[in-house]
Amino acid sequence: MDTQGATAAAGKELTALVAHWVEPGCERQFEQWAQGILAEAARFPGHLGHGVLRPAAASQPWHVMYRFRDQSTCEG
């Protein structure tokens, strides 16, 4: 798993983008897992949103994105 993302200065919104390579045939299980993780993240104060980005081609990674009010709320 590779993590790509930008951290903002203190007090600024934080968006994290995490790349996942999913084995062919396991896409449904991955989506279920990702939705569970993101549902848990949504319970934390400061959560601003999230999503799953499907790849355009099977050889590309899926991306899971989540946003928080600032770095401290992301770290919980």
Side-chain angles (χ1 to χ4, degrees), residues 43-55:
R43 296 177 55 204
F44 283 84
H47 179 264
L48 298 176
H50 60 260
V52 175
L53 306 173
R54 294 170 182 85

Side-chain angles (χ1 to χ4, degrees), residues 6-28:
T7 57
K12 301 291 181 175
E13 291 180 8
L14 178 131
T15 300
L17 182 64
V18 182
H20 297 271
W21 277 263
V22 178
E23 293 290 325
C26 296
E27 296 87 356
R28 185 173 172 203

